[in-house]
Amino acid sequence: MRWAVAETGDGGVRLCPLAPDGRPAGPVLRESSFAEAVRARPEVERWVWRSTQEAYRRLLAAGVRVERCYDVEAAEALLIGHEEGQSGQPRSLAAAWARLRGLPVPEDTPVRAAEPQPSLFEPGPVPLPPGTDEFTALLDVYADQVARTARTEHPERMRLLLAAESAGMLVAAEMGRAGVPWRADVHRELLAELLGERYPGGLEPRRMAELAEEVSRAFGAGARVRPDLPNDIIKAFAGAGISLTSTRKWELQQIDHPAVAPLLAYKTLYRLHTAHGWAWLQQWVHDGRFRAEYLPGGTVSGRWITNGGGALQIPKVIRQAVLADPGWRLVVADAAQMEPRVLAAVSRDRGLMEVAASGEDLYAGLAARAFGGDRAQAKLGLLGAVYGQTSGDALKHMADLRRRYPAAVAYVDEAARAGEEGRLVRTWLGRTSPPASVTAPDEAGLPQEEAPSTGYGSSSAARARGRFTRNFVVQGSAADWALLMLAALRQSLSEAGLRAELVFFQHDEVIVHCPAEEAGTVSAAIAAAAATAGRIAFGETPVRFPFT
């Protein structure tokens, strides 16, 4: 049984059971406490509410956990993208209500800058038209979404995607509350070792100041160059007869000049100092935890992002401060070759599925069959097919890939063709790419070099979009699988009565913090969740999704 619930202005809630068509299946009830209303109904299988990010945060603060939910605003984002190819359009309950009533659609509230501590003046939801009852709007929008889901190309897949996205919202809220175990003392020791002493008055740390001096000296006596100012650097090199278009690492590495080495070292330390230095530590780490605000579906492919704190860009050296509590362990699991395995599952290519049926190294298996045992070339060739790299060594292997794995290559080729022609593509479960009028996003993992035209379009914009859609159908399907894996893992940990907590997730990596005696059980649960997600997402397939 599903129940709809919405908070009232006086701190209470209104709620009612729902029929399969999304309409009320019983009287509307009133309760004075949101937490007590949910706690008193453990038999409810799924709570339907406006926004998990807001509702569940309040429940967690009151010590109430729910097993499943349906996030109306997350569902609206997916459905409007699927129906009209308008990914990124307003998703609020007010926007969904306006579409349903043929009214002007209000813009979403801009995402607030995340703060490590709650604010007294956090922005509220987008307001409904005057006189509109929120609970009535919630019921009507949800019933409409149920009907719209039934009209999609693959209704069962879309229902699964909506459930997975909502499950991801629950995981994100719980991870944000639990936080990553973080040793501030270790972090400070690392900063002192790498950056040197801190100078008062906001001056650069000692090592950065020394490198800045080295950069200036490299341009001659009396030169004063600010390495943190790109225009200063470009001007200084121009004075030395060297023309630069930027101060990017790859361009600087092409130059033979004594300023390059200290400049690159300075840039590395500058990023560390500004992104994860002492100020970051003071702002974000409290009570031995780093608590990020995760935003599921933050990119159009479904990958997560974070709002503030840089949780998904923590340098490897700083990760040394991530340490389990005494008597506890961190189980850190990485999905092995996730996207190539997903390509095998969605393309149904028999040859590639055979390679991916093993829990062993997929690239090694591929190399043994098609690349003369050269694992590096096998990896380059297969990822080149996924990412649209059709020049250089990748081009040499494409013909062999097409011959050996025709269905897999045809799958991404068709996605690229659709993108170049301005058509939409979808993930296996139904997440839809943005329209052709929107510039192809700079998604994580998508190479930036332009590939030569494949014949489906002549403009660079069309080629860029083709490369984006080629990758979207694989990367997006992998993101959908990851949601199901997280949901299965969360359920498994809960049903086993473990104290283990999910504390981190990034694309293909998950971290669980648990008592030492639970580590083996957690490892097995992660492996089982990966298998469950593969079966639920892609049906019966020999493809395995191992974690290391």
Side-chain angles (χ1 to χ4, degrees):
M1 175 68 74
R2 296 187 178 199
W3 280 63
V5 60
E7 294 182 86
T8 58
D10 58 3
V13 293
R14 298 170 68 193
L15 65 165
C16 74
L18 298 169
D21 65 356
R23 297 294 177 184
V28 175
L29 307 176
R30 291 180 179 270
E31 299 280 0
S32 60
S33 166
F34 186 16
E36 288 306 318
V38 174
R39 185 183 284 118
R41 294 170 175 82
E43 74 282 0
V44 174
E45 295 178 0
R46 193 180 299 274
W47 288 98
V48 177
W49 52 43
R50 181 176 56 80
S51 167
T52 304
Q53 191 173 30
E54 297 177 10
Y56 198 38
R57 185 165 54 180
R58 294 191 180 94
L59 289 177
L60 288 174
V64 178
R65 183 182 186 275
V66 302
E67 292 299 325
R68 296 178 181 85
C69 77
Y70 179 99
D71 188 311
V72 165
E73 295 189 348
E76 185 66 18
L78 292 168
L79 288 170
I80 195 66
H82 189 281
E83 295 161 342
E84 302 180 26
Q86 295 296 314
S87 295
Q89 292 300 304
R91 56 187 284 171
S92 68
L93 177 64
W97 171 261
R99 291 189 188 100
L100 182 59
R101 299 295 176 181
L103 303 172
V105 177
E107 294 295 323
D108 287 344
T109 302
V111 177
R112 62 173 176 80
E115 295 292 342
Q117 300 298 325
S119 170
L120 292 175
F121 304 103
E122 294 189 14
V126 180
L128 289 157
T132 304
D133 176 68
E134 179 171 331
F135 192 65
T136 300
L138 177 71
L139 292 174
D140 288 351
V141 166
Y142 173 66
D144 180 59
Q145 289 182 347
V146 170
R148 290 156 65 193
T149 301
R151 295 194 296 267
T152 57
E153 184 178 2
H154 299 287
E156 288 305 315
R157 292 188 195 176
M158 179 56 69
R159 291 187 187 99
L160 183 59
L161 178 60
L162 299 181
E165 192 87 333
S166 292
M169 296 290 178
L170 293 175
V171 172
E174 291 171 357
M175 288 200 312
R177 182 170 179 81
V180 179
W182 200 282
R183 285 280 298 277
D185 58 331
V186 174
H187 191 149
R188 292 189 189 95
E189 290 172 3
L190 291 168
L191 294 177
E193 177 184 340
L194 295 167
L195 299 174
E197 303 91 275
R198 299 174 70 184
Y199 293 148
L203 298 176
E204 290 180 334
R206 175 181 55 78
R207 183 58 186 146
M208 288 177 62
E210 292 172 350
L211 289 169
E213 286 294 330
E214 286 186 48
V215 172
S216 292
R217 285 198 302 270
F219 288 106
R224 298 301 303 171
V225 179
R226 288 277 303 277
D228 57 327
L229 299 179
N231 286 339
D232 257 28
I233 295 299
I234 292 174
K235 183 178 179 181
F237 275 110
I242 299 173
S243 177
L244 289 177
T245 60
S246 73
T247 59
R248 292 174 179 167
K249 181 179 179 179
W250 67 266
E251 189 168 355
L252 290 171
Q253 287 175 328
Q254 309 303 313
I255 298 171
D256 182 14
H257 189 279
V260 171
L263 177 58
L264 291 175
Y266 178 94
K267 287 168 67 70
T268 298
L269 294 185
Y270 179 83
R271 285 193 295 271
L272 175 63
H273 176 54
T274 56
H276 293 93
W278 290 281
W280 180 92
L281 181 60
Q282 183 177 6
Q283 181 181 11
W284 287 99
V285 177
H286 300 278
D287 302 320
R289 294 291 186 272
F290 164 46
R291 294 179 174 85
E293 181 180 326
Y294 296 90
L295 302 179
T299 68
V300 295
S301 69
R303 282 186 165 186
W304 290 24
I305 60 174
T306 57
N307 180 22
L312 305 187
Q313 294 85 34
I314 298 172
K316 185 176 181 180
V317 64
I318 294 299
R319 276 198 174 205
Q320 295 178 64
V322 180
L323 294 168
D325 292 343
W328 286 54
R329 297 288 183 271
L330 288 168
V331 180
V332 183
D334 291 279
Q337 302 104 27
M338 177 174 67
E339 291 183 2
R341 292 176 185 277
V342 166
L343 174 59
V346 298
S347 68
R348 296 300 200 257
D349 186 290
R350 295 193 178 201
L352 193 56
M353 285 196 295
E354 180 182 340
V355 179
S358 168
E360 303 300 320
D361 186 341
L362 181 145
Y363 299 125
L366 190 66
R369 292 167 171 80
F371 293 88
D374 190 330
R375 182 187 183 281
Q377 291 301 314
K379 181 177 181 179
L380 178 68
L382 187 54
L383 293 183
V386 173
Y387 291 118
Q389 296 294 91
T390 54
S391 60
D393 288 340
L395 180 61
K396 293 188 300 184
H397 302 307
M398 187 60 75
D400 197 28
L401 282 172
R402 291 184 194 280
R403 180 172 60 84
R404 291 178 179 269
Y405 309 109
V409 177
Y411 192 88
V412 289
D413 277 350
E414 171 54 30
R417 182 183 298 111
E420 292 193 359
E421 294 174 354
R423 293 183 281 128
L424 299 173
V425 298
R426 295 192 172 106
T427 67
W428 182 256
L429 295 185
R431 192 184 302 269
T432 307
S433 64
S437 59
V438 176
T439 302
D442 178 12
E443 292 284 88
L446 185 61
Q448 299 305 299
E449 300 84 3
E450 256 186 28
S453 172
T454 53
Y456 309 127
S458 58
S459 73
S460 61
R463 293 197 300 273
R465 179 166 176 80
R467 289 175 55 247
F468 167 72
T469 51
R470 169 188 290 271
N471 178 248
F472 180 92
V473 295
V474 179
Q475 187 183 91
S477 295
D480 296 345
W481 169 85
L483 282 173
L484 292 169
M485 180 275 297
L486 285 174
L489 176 59
R490 175 179 182 266
Q491 182 179 16
S492 176
L493 297 179
S494 174
E495 291 178 347
L498 302 180
R499 296 165 64 196
E501 294 179 314
L502 272 160
V503 296
F504 182 82
F505 168 67
Q506 177 180 350
H507 310 328
D508 57 1
E509 178 187 13
V510 62
I511 300 180
V512 178
H513 189 223
C514 65
E517 63 272 14
E518 293 181 1
T521 303
V522 168
S523 296
I526 293 172
T532 298
R535 183 177 64 255
I536 293 175
F538 309 119
E540 292 303 323
T541 170
V543 177
R544 291 185 60 191
F545 298 91
F547 272 87
T548 57

